[in-house]
Amino acid sequence: MQHRRMAHKESAKSRRKQVDINLGELFEKDPDLLAELEPVKHLLVDDVYNGKVHSVYNFQFRTMDNKAFRGNLEKVYKDLGCAAKINVAFGFIMKSLEGEYRYFYAHNNNTLFERPVVLANDGDLEFICDRLDDEDYFEHMVNERPNTKWRFYSVTNMTVFAYLMPHVALGCKNADLPSYITKNKFIYTLTSNANRNKFNDNFCLFRAICFQRHQMQQSDEMEKAVTDLANEYFEHFEGEKDPKRFRGVKDKEIYVVEDLAGVNVVIYSCERDDNGKLVGITEKTPGEESAQEMGQKFDKVFRQLDSFLMALRQEKSHRDRQKTADGTEKEEDNVAVVDDEEEEEDKDDDDDMENFILYEDGEEPQDNDDDEMDDYIVPDAVDLSNENDKMLKLLISFYEGIRKKLERYCLTLPCFGFNSSRYDLNLIKEFLLKHLVKEKEINPEVIRKTNQYDFSLMSGLTVPEKLSNKELPPIEDFWSKLKNCNVLSADLDKYHKLLNSGMSEALVCKKMNITTPPPSAEENYDYLKSIWKEYKMSSFRDFLRWYNDKDVIPTLEAMQKMMNFYHEKGIDMLKLGCTLPNLANRCLHQSTGVKFYRFGKRDMDLAKRVREEIVGGPSIVFTRYAKVGETKIRDSENVCRAIVGVDASQLYPYSMCQPMPTGPYVRWDLRDGKFYPLKIHRSDLELKVIGFLQSKRKECKIQSLEVTGKQKRIGPFLVDGFCDHCNTVFEVMGCYYHYCACIEHKLTEMIWRICEKKRAQDEMRRNYIKSKGFNMVEIWECEWYQQMRENNNGERHFVQTNFKHRSPISERQLIYKILDDEYFGVVECDLVVPDHLKKKFQNFPPLFKNHLVSREDIGTFMKTMAEENNLMKKPRKMLISSFYLEKGMVITPMLKFLLKLGLQLKKVYSFIEYQPQQKCFESFVDQVVSARREGDKNKSSGVVAETMKLLGNSSYGYQIMNRNKHSVTKYGNESNIHDLINQKMFKASTEICDDVYEVGMMKKSIEHKEPIIVGFFILQYAKLRMLELYYNFLYTYCDSNLYEEIEMDTDSLYLAIGRDNIYDCIRPEVKQVWTKLREKDCKDPVHSRRNPKLLSPNLLQEAH
């Protein structure tokens, strides 16, 4: 949302001037509307701002006319002196139901296109105009409204942001080269053919190469060579590039052309002065980022770490010198830091420094391991005499990585402020960034949501010198130009405005959260004068300090309490939290020891399918009008006697207490009519061995990746299993990976060299672990299977029972196993309501899905409303309930429920199997519910109750966070800003100060670290709960002529009933059955209020 106070800096710089415009001629002569537009009338005229890096074009725009769009874009195209990336935004007015107007700026973070589009030639212009024709402008603007009480009123202006590209890709249609090149007889420009017709194909690089390589003159033969080289270039990218929309070879793709043509390409840049005169030609080379040395000293951990690293390096240096003196050659650097299996696992679970790594942008693992710092702290006594050379290299590499991460954490200085992201930072960033980027050559990492500007300037304080005033400014100096009112009377003006709109005094006070009418401007000014006198202020600086303390002191007290709150949960709020969803995610996973797996790289198609199938809570209107004592129930003679709302208490906490998908998943794919299991994670061997050892050692609690979700780290090594009770390390040795003696006869001479190195690494690992005082048990694969074949005393039975062999199964077998609760997970399938059951489900179809909906698909009332408000001109994707589902992802509990209702399963495409785990998050849910109950009883606990409520609501949402639209912010100057604009991921740029630019970029790669499947299950459980309410209670027990659905919204269902309460609507023949079921209900009203398992009815005495 871009409020009217969030001004665009360049727009303000260029257009905030006196303009002669009669607002009354353009808009209705509504005083409130004219007052809203008065401060921004400079934006309602045609104007342009031309900068060094980008230009901003503004057009007066009153009608959403495609012809006007094209006309404005053509003006921009003709005015641009070079190619540019452009984006479009609109300024518009919205009107609230209370009659209030609000102007929304055209800003570069509420643009029409997600990324700017290149405009370099006529074809680009046509392409952009076609894209604009396909856009639904009204939907885009309506999505900017603060809430549903606001309605689109009028568009006011169209703004085009043009980010200049003077160094465009090598190739530009219809380009006119400068005269100092065309008139130079020593330069072959190759701009036209032998008939002097200009080339218009962007093949100039290919043409230059062919000209140089073959020394041809302009001819058909040369053009054939150019075409052949261009076709080779396109074939290299395997269809990724469209020859029809080819704009030239980009800098980063030069190497492709060099390889194809067998030449070296050197690019030169022409430097011109302000008058356009050529002053030099320089070779264009990529810039180098300056490195920043960090030499600060920290606490005892750092000194200890540095001391140990020094000892390691000295020992290695001593041995290297000794070898040199002896004439011994150094060994090859063939040391692997960790085993391949462990390295892969370490990349997936990059949480070994969980206690002190700052994860940027809220990205952290889905589980929060409680690794002790002892795993990383080096003993004071350092004895390296028994370590071999390879072990020394490994230890140096490992502890240097630890130091780097620890240093980064310690150098992070958290700063917080009250609303600082919108106010303070925007005030100082011009000076701060200039100091960092230009003077210190630091490119800071910034997390930014929107470019918000929320200034409330007083005309009497335009310069800092006014802080030295010896008295309070006069009352008229408290006028805010942007708010267009005196801030001392703003509350009273709003109060009177709401009263004049027809609202009662009580309702106005409730809306403004006050008990009495607000004071007038004079009363507020008298209060400020009394404060000045009471505190014996001598200058306005004293007054400003007093005013700031009113915010700062309570904020510090609140922050300290909040930090203590999270410290009790073992979370560093300011360094490891940063955002509420991040904190909630940590609290959620710290409450359980269960391991949840995200989809691997080879299963990104599954992750994409699951994300596409994620839908929020349903919001459905069944009946548009119902009134007690007036309307009738359905088509019966029963008159509405009450309207009742049935609320699912703690719906999402309830869903979080249901069986969750845990452990490694198994993907079942359909091939040749059968489903084949494809296990992605670590082999079954480790799981079998560790599971068997745990069953035999009752007194042990073996930590392993599969059981506890993490691996024990001993120095630089991760081990398969570890038991604190007996201080024993368990290692499962695969015969082929660790080169067991049983496979020696299969090894070739080359493999033997690899085998010897691998065995040396294993021995080094084994000796290191034992030297640290741990016992060690190694189980070889061949010995394990031999023991299982020969042993008949129950060990073989244990393995066969707990680790069944998975064979291909048919679709029927898969369905039966799901219905028998043998298999648990997610099914991709087709579901349909049979024709003979459509009458049963016509009021509330049970299948939820995202679907494109047009005006023709909706009812008459909504269609008329959409036409009157210019909404839904194009189909939009919406959540609907339907009679059929095609290739939908359904969790097995939901599938079983739907099949029980009578739906038909037409086809199964795939199945993702998990291990069900009951009550994974019960501890977390209990904390949330208990805190909210305490808040109900004790008002002093209200803040904690609200905090826990926010944590509970944010925790499941974090699991399904879509990072695809996340961006990064970089800072550049004139030396690199055009290179940043020319990058594919460029979004927008803003000039911060002279030669410092803030650049928004899309992320090149996105890593989803959260287990999306957990959030998917929680959302489907919530829908299942509402379906159970409707079909297991209302449809099964109640008389359909005594209730009628009005609306549903996520966790509530409102009904018009023909009796005084919902229970009187139960049919007589089943009332006894229902009464018997109710005997198990909770009788404690305090406990029931926050019980996640209950559905509570609330009677509305009068509603319509």
Side-chain angles (χ1 to χ4, degrees):
M1 179 187 74
Q2 294 302 314
H3 190 268
R4 63 185 179 85
R5 293 172 291 177
M6 302 172 191
H8 185 263
K9 182 173 181 178
E10 285 76 15
S11 303
K13 185 190 301 182
S14 62
R15 289 175 256 156
R16 184 151 297 197
K17 56 187 179 182
Q18 296 296 327
V19 294
D20 185 14
I21 179 174
N22 189 341
L23 295 175
E25 294 179 358
L26 297 176
F27 302 94
E28 298 177 10
K29 294 184 178 181
D30 186 325
D32 293 334
L33 175 59
L34 299 181
E36 176 74 11
L37 293 177
E38 181 64 29
V40 295
K41 64 181 182 181
H42 59 285
L43 297 177
L44 308 183
V45 296
D46 291 358
D47 200 2
V48 61
Y49 161 76
N50 288 315
K52 297 179 181 178
V53 173
H54 58 273
S55 298
V56 182
Y57 297 84
N58 190 72
F59 302 96
Q60 187 184 108
F61 204 73
R62 294 301 316 282
T63 58
M64 305 299 285
D65 184 5
N66 288 346
K67 186 176 181 181
F69 288 142
R70 289 175 176 265
N72 292 337
L73 287 176
E74 288 174 358
K75 293 178 183 177
V76 173
Y77 179 50
K78 292 178 181 178
D79 186 72
L80 287 172
C82 63
K85 288 186 176 182
I86 71 165
N87 216 328
V88 180
F90 298 99
F92 54 94
I93 306 167
M94 284 197 172
K95 185 177 181 180
S96 70
L97 298 178
E98 291 87 4
E100 180 183 355
Y101 294 96
R102 182 177 290 184
Y103 175 75
F104 290 76
Y105 270 83
H107 199 277
N108 62 7
N109 61 11
N110 67 340
T111 49
L112 202 59
F113 304 138
E114 184 178 6
R115 283 186 292 179
V117 186
V118 174
L119 176 59
N121 51 61
D122 294 338
D124 294 335
L125 178 63
E126 190 64 28
F127 173 75
I128 295 171
C129 291
D130 291 342
R131 280 195 62 176
L132 286 171
D133 290 342
D134 295 335
E135 293 290 336
D136 194 334
Y137 317 108
F138 290 101
E139 286 295 322
H140 177 77
M141 288 183 279
V142 168
N143 289 336
E144 296 292 318
R145 61 184 178 176
N147 50 58
T148 55
K149 79 173 184 179
W150 292 90
R151 298 287 186 268
F152 175 80
Y153 181 76
S154 175
V155 64
T156 58
N157 58 293
M158 171 183 174
T159 302
V160 179
F161 300 94
Y163 307 99
L164 307 181
M165 302 168 62
H167 305 295
V168 295
L170 301 181
C172 187
K173 294 184 179 181
N174 299 321
D176 292 325
L177 296 177
S179 59
Y180 57 78
I181 290 181
T182 57
K183 293 182 180 180
N184 191 320
K185 62 181 181 180
F186 299 104
I187 298 177
Y188 294 96
T189 58
L190 303 177
T191 55
S192 57
N193 59 20
N195 298 324
R196 297 189 176 182
N197 296 323
K198 284 191 173 183
F199 292 119
N200 196 30
D201 54 10
N202 289 328
F203 287 176
C204 52
L205 176 62
F206 305 133
R207 194 165 284 110
I209 291 175
C210 291
F211 182 85
Q212 184 273 339
R213 186 168 57 175
H214 302 293
Q215 295 296 313
M216 297 179 178
Q217 298 298 321
Q218 299 285 14
S219 62
D220 293 340
E221 183 182 358
M222 176 176 169
E223 286 306 305
K224 182 179 183 303
V226 171
T227 304
D228 292 341
L229 180 58
N231 289 335
E232 291 182 42
Y233 173 81
F234 294 131
E235 289 174 2
H236 173 82
F237 290 97
E238 299 179 349
E240 294 181 9
K241 292 187 176 293
D242 183 3
K244 295 181 180 179
R245 289 193 47 76
F246 177 61
R247 297 191 183 93
V249 180
K250 298 179 181 178
D251 290 357
K252 64 181 181 180
E253 297 167 354
I254 292 294
Y255 76 94
V256 177
V257 181
E258 289 178 328
D259 291 342
L260 294 174
V263 297
N264 293 323
V265 178
V266 180
I267 307 172
Y268 291 92
S269 174
C270 298
E271 298 180 359
R272 288 172 285 177
D273 58 17
D274 295 337
N275 298 321
K277 183 179 178 181
L278 180 67
V279 296
I281 298 179
T282 58
E283 184 174 344
K284 185 177 178 182
T285 57
E288 295 183 1
E289 297 183 1
S290 60
Q292 298 299 316
E293 296 183 358
M294 296 178 289
Q296 300 186 29
K297 295 183 180 180
F298 301 101
D299 54 13
K300 180 180 176 181
V301 175
F302 249 112
R303 293 194 299 271
Q304 189 178 13
L305 195 56
D306 287 339
S307 175
F308 183 67
L309 278 170
M310 183 180 296
L312 288 171
R313 292 167 182 147
Q314 288 176 348
E315 179 68 21
K316 183 178 183 300
S317 177
H318 172 71
R319 295 187 185 185
D320 289 343
R321 287 195 302 269
Q322 191 174 31
K323 287 182 180 180
T324 304
D326 296 341
T328 308
E329 295 182 0
K330 294 183 180 181
E331 295 183 22
E332 297 181 4
D333 296 339
N334 289 320
V335 180
V337 176
V338 289
D339 290 345
D340 293 346
E341 293 176 327
E342 292 156 353
E343 184 176 11
E344 182 179 355
E345 199 62 50
D346 203 30
K347 289 179 181 178
D348 290 340
D349 292 356
D350 188 16
D351 54 3
D352 57 319
M353 297 294 294
E354 184 67 25
N355 283 336
F356 51 85
I357 296 178
L358 174 61
Y359 289 92
E360 296 177 5
D361 204 18
E363 295 184 359
E364 73 289 336
Q366 71 275 12
D367 55 345
N368 292 277
D369 294 347
D370 296 323
D371 292 344
E372 296 294 336
M373 285 288 293
D374 294 343
D375 291 346
Y376 306 103
I377 296 178
V378 184
D380 291 328
V382 180
D383 181 11
L384 303 174
S385 58
N386 295 324
E387 306 294 357
N388 60 33
D389 294 347
K390 292 182 179 180
M391 193 67 220
L392 278 176
K393 287 177 62 66
L394 191 150
L395 289 173
I396 291 174
S397 174
F398 174 71
Y399 282 106
E400 281 179 345
I402 294 295
R403 189 191 189 285
K404 183 178 179 180
K405 293 180 179 180
L406 179 59
E407 184 179 45
R408 180 180 180 183
Y409 177 84
C410 294
L411 283 177
T412 301
L413 176 64
C415 298
F416 64 90
F418 183 76
N419 218 16
S420 296
S421 62
R422 299 178 65 188
Y423 184 75
D424 301 323
L425 289 179
N426 284 294
L427 279 175
I428 69 171
K429 72 176 183 180
E430 176 180 346
F431 311 100
L432 177 63
L433 291 172
K434 183 178 181 181
H435 174 74
L436 293 176
V437 177
K438 298 190 68 174
E439 298 178 17
K440 295 295 184 180
E441 297 184 352
I442 297 174
N443 199 329
E445 298 179 3
V446 176
I447 300 174
R448 188 187 67 178
K449 292 184 178 179
T450 56
N451 196 12
Q452 297 180 335
Y453 297 87
D454 193 9
F455 304 147
S456 181
L457 303 177
M458 294 182 290
S459 58
L461 290 174
T462 54
V463 292
E465 287 76 8
K466 293 293 180 74
L467 293 177
S468 301
N469 285 354
K470 302 302 181 182
E471 59 183 12
L472 196 68
I475 189 172
E476 57 269 16
D477 278 358
F478 286 85
W479 180 270
S480 170
K481 292 180 179 179
L482 292 179
K483 288 187 174 181
N484 199 32
C485 68
N486 192 305
V487 295
L488 298 179
S489 63
D491 290 341
L492 186 62
D493 292 342
K494 182 178 180 181
Y495 177 81
H496 288 306
K497 186 175 182 179
L498 293 175
L499 283 179
N500 295 334
S501 68
M503 298 175 66
S504 66
E505 183 176 342
L507 190 58
V508 171
C509 289
K510 182 178 180 181
K511 182 178 180 62
M512 295 183 64
N513 197 24
I514 56 177
T515 56
T516 58
S520 64
E522 291 73 18
E523 291 172 328
N524 281 326
Y525 190 68
D526 290 340
Y527 169 72
L528 295 181
K529 288 196 296 184
S530 67
I531 292 296
W532 186 284
K533 183 177 180 181
E534 179 183 348
Y535 288 89
K536 299 179 181 180
M537 298 177 183
S538 59
S539 67
F540 195 79
R541 189 184 306 276
D542 297 334
F543 178 83
L544 186 61
R545 185 178 294 112
W546 168 84
Y547 176 79
N548 287 336
D549 285 347
K550 290 295 183 183
D551 285 338
V552 173
I553 294 176
T555 301
L556 288 174
E557 293 175 349
M559 181 60 69
Q560 188 61 55
K561 292 180 180 179
M562 186 69 73
M563 290 170 60
N564 294 338
F565 174 81
Y566 285 107
H567 281 166
E568 292 175 358
K569 300 180 181 297
I571 298 174
D572 186 343
M573 169 187 156
L574 296 180
K575 289 194 176 183
L576 298 182
C578 300
T579 63
L580 177 65
N582 190 357
L583 291 168
N585 181 63
R586 290 179 177 275
C587 292
L588 178 70
H589 288 286
Q590 279 187 356
S591 68
T592 179
V594 178
K595 177 74 173 180
F596 300 95
Y597 283 84
R598 57 183 178 177
F599 290 111
K601 293 182 179 179
R602 287 173 288 185
D603 292 325
M604 284 297 100
D605 59 319
L606 293 182
K608 182 179 179 182
R609 287 288 298 119
V610 171
R611 186 166 295 283
E612 289 173 350
E613 292 294 320
I614 288 179
V615 292
S619 181
I620 305 172
V621 176
F622 300 99
T623 304
R624 296 205 168 272
Y625 182 78
K627 188 173 183 179
V628 175
E630 180 178 317
T631 57
K632 294 184 179 180
I633 306 299
R634 304 190 196 278
D635 297 327
S636 68
E637 296 300 320
N638 298 316
V639 178
C640 176
R641 294 172 60 175
I643 293 179
V644 64
V646 183
D647 179 73
S649 176
Q650 309 289 307
L651 178 63
Y652 287 111
Y654 160 82
S655 302
M656 293 164 67
C657 291
Q658 303 308 301
M660 286 290 139
T662 65
Y665 61 89
V666 178
R667 177 175 181 168
W668 295 77
D669 286 337
L670 179 62
R671 298 197 306 268
D672 302 326
K674 286 193 174 185
F675 289 90
Y676 290 81
L678 178 63
K679 188 172 179 60
I680 300 301
H681 291 280
R682 296 163 71 93
S683 67
D684 283 336
L685 176 63
E686 181 181 322
L687 185 61
K688 291 177 182 178
V689 175
I690 298 298
F692 174 71
L693 292 175
Q694 180 64 75
S695 68
K696 299 292 288 183
R697 297 170 175 246
K698 302 296 184 182
E699 71 284 359
C700 293
K701 184 178 181 181
I702 303 177
Q703 302 175 31
S704 69
L705 182 66
E706 306 292 348
V707 178
T708 60
K710 64 178 182 180
Q711 290 176 279
K712 171 72 174 178
R713 180 182 289 280
I714 300 176
F717 300 112
L718 292 170
V719 299
D720 294 336
F722 175 73
C723 176
D724 280 317
H725 175 74
C726 55
N727 197 37
T728 302
V729 170
F730 300 93
E731 291 282 66
V732 182
M733 311 292 284
C735 290
Y736 280 88
Y737 182 76
H738 292 278
Y739 297 99
C740 177
C742 67
I743 65 165
E744 288 183 355
H745 63 282
K746 301 180 181 179
L747 302 182
T748 63
E749 182 179 351
M750 182 180 67
I751 299 298
W752 256 111
R753 291 198 296 269
I754 300 175
C755 168
E756 291 173 352
K757 292 179 181 179
K758 180 60 182 171
R759 287 179 176 178
Q761 291 176 18
D762 288 342
E763 184 63 25
M764 177 180 67
R765 173 192 178 99
R766 190 178 297 115
N767 293 337
Y768 181 84
I769 292 175
K770 290 180 179 180
S771 70
K772 299 304 176 183
F774 297 100
N775 301 316
M776 194 165 184
V777 175
E778 290 185 344
I779 300 94
W780 285 88
E781 179 181 6
C782 57
E783 295 175 356
W784 162 260
Y785 283 117
Q786 180 66 26
Q787 184 180 358
M788 290 301 102
R789 284 191 294 269
E790 297 175 354
N791 201 308
N792 294 317
N793 62 359
E795 297 177 0
R796 184 178 179 185
H797 174 74
F798 171 85
V799 175
Q800 292 176 343
T801 303
N802 292 276
F803 302 95
K804 298 178 180 178
H805 177 67
R806 301 298 183 88
S807 302
I809 58 176
S810 65
E811 180 179 301
R812 180 181 293 273
Q813 290 173 315
L814 177 62
I815 295 171
Y816 280 135
K817 289 180 180 294
I818 292 172
L819 294 177
D820 293 339
D821 291 327
E822 190 174 340
Y823 283 2
F824 175 86
V826 183
V827 183
E828 184 181 18
C829 60
D830 291 341
L831 282 166
V832 65
V833 174
D835 292 338
H836 69 279
L837 291 179
K838 286 185 177 179
K839 186 176 181 181
K840 170 183 176 180
F841 296 107
Q842 64 181 357
N843 294 328
F844 186 19
L847 297 172
F848 298 101
K849 63 182 182 180
N850 287 320
H851 196 74
L852 285 176
V853 178
S854 66
R855 288 180 179 176
E856 305 304 320
D857 300 320
I858 57 181
T860 305
F861 177 84
M862 287 302 298
K863 182 178 180 181
T864 303
M865 179 181 176
E867 291 173 346
E868 291 176 351
N869 292 275
N870 288 313
L871 299 174
M872 296 184 68
K873 294 179 65 177
K874 300 182 183 299
R876 68 161 78 162
K877 184 168 283 190
M878 303 173 67
L879 171 62
I880 65 172
S881 60
S882 176
F883 283 147
Y884 68 93
L885 181 68
E886 294 180 348
K887 297 197 76 172
M889 306 292 283
V890 183
I891 65 173
T892 49
M894 173 72 84
L895 180 63
K896 290 174 59 180
F897 177 81
L898 295 174
L899 294 179
K900 187 177 180 181
L901 288 180
L903 274 69
Q904 292 180 355
L905 183 62
K906 289 292 187 180
K907 186 175 181 179
V908 177
Y909 297 93
S910 64
F911 175 58
I912 312 171
E913 183 187 2
Y914 288 92
Q915 298 302 315
Q917 182 74 37
Q918 289 280 358
K919 302 179 179 180
C920 297
F921 304 121
E922 186 176 35
S923 173
F924 176 76
V925 171
D926 286 344
Q927 293 177 38
V928 174
V929 173
S930 299
R932 298 193 66 185
R933 287 193 185 122
E934 183 62 28
D936 294 336
K937 293 188 297 182
N938 187 357
K939 294 301 180 183
S940 62
S941 302
V943 175
V944 176
E946 284 300 312
T947 301
M948 292 303 296
K949 176 184 177 181
L950 290 173
L951 289 176
N953 292 338
S954 302
S955 57
Y956 72 89
Y958 194 86
Q959 315 306 311
I960 56 175
M961 179 186 294
N962 188 358
R963 300 179 184 272
N964 292 330
K965 294 185 178 181
H966 286 192
S967 60
V968 294
T969 302
K970 296 184 178 181
Y971 293 90
N973 50 39
E974 289 186 1
S975 65
N976 65 348
I977 183 63
H978 293 298
D979 292 333
L980 292 173
I981 292 175
N982 201 29
Q983 290 183 20
K984 181 179 179 181
M985 310 311 291
F986 171 80
K987 284 186 66 177
S989 71
T990 304
E991 185 177 359
I992 302 299
C993 59
D994 293 340
D995 198 24
V996 176
Y997 300 89
E998 187 176 77
V999 182
M1001 310 283 287
M1002 298 290 289
K1003 288 189 173 182
K1004 292 183 179 179
S1005 60
I1006 302 292
E1007 183 179 7
H1008 295 279
K1009 293 190 174 183
E1010 299 76 28
I1012 186 177
I1013 197 67
V1014 174
F1016 181 74
F1017 263 74
I1018 291 172
L1019 289 175
Q1020 288 229 349
Y1021 275 129
K1023 295 177 184 63
L1024 175 58
R1025 185 64 167 167
M1026 300 309 292
L1027 288 173
E1028 289 173 341
L1029 162 66
Y1030 188 87
Y1031 288 106
N1032 286 358
F1033 171 61
L1034 291 174
Y1035 185 84
T1036 303
Y1037 291 98
C1038 297
D1039 186 345
S1040 60
N1041 289 322
L1042 291 177
Y1043 72 90
E1044 184 175 13
E1045 310 85 355
I1046 299 177
E1047 64 174 354
M1048 169 182 280
D1049 186 12
T1050 305
D1051 61 350
S1052 59
L1053 175 63
Y1054 289 89
L1055 305 165
I1057 58 176
R1059 295 290 184 268
D1060 293 331
N1061 63 70
I1062 187 67
Y1063 303 113
D1064 292 339
C1065 298
I1066 297 176
R1067 302 196 306 273
E1069 63 271 21
V1070 294
K1071 197 156 192 173
Q1072 185 175 359
V1073 178
W1074 174 253
T1075 303
K1076 188 175 182 65
L1077 290 173
R1078 293 297 304 275
E1079 292 177 357
K1080 298 180 180 180
D1081 283 1
C1082 177
K1083 302 299 189 295
D1084 182 0
V1086 176
H1087 187 78
S1088 299
R1089 184 176 181 185
R1090 299 294 183 189
N1091 193 332
K1093 300 179 181 179
L1094 296 185
L1095 292 160
S1096 56
N1098 301 306
L1099 187 64
L1100 307 181
Q1101 297 297 335
E1102 185 176 351
H1104 64 274

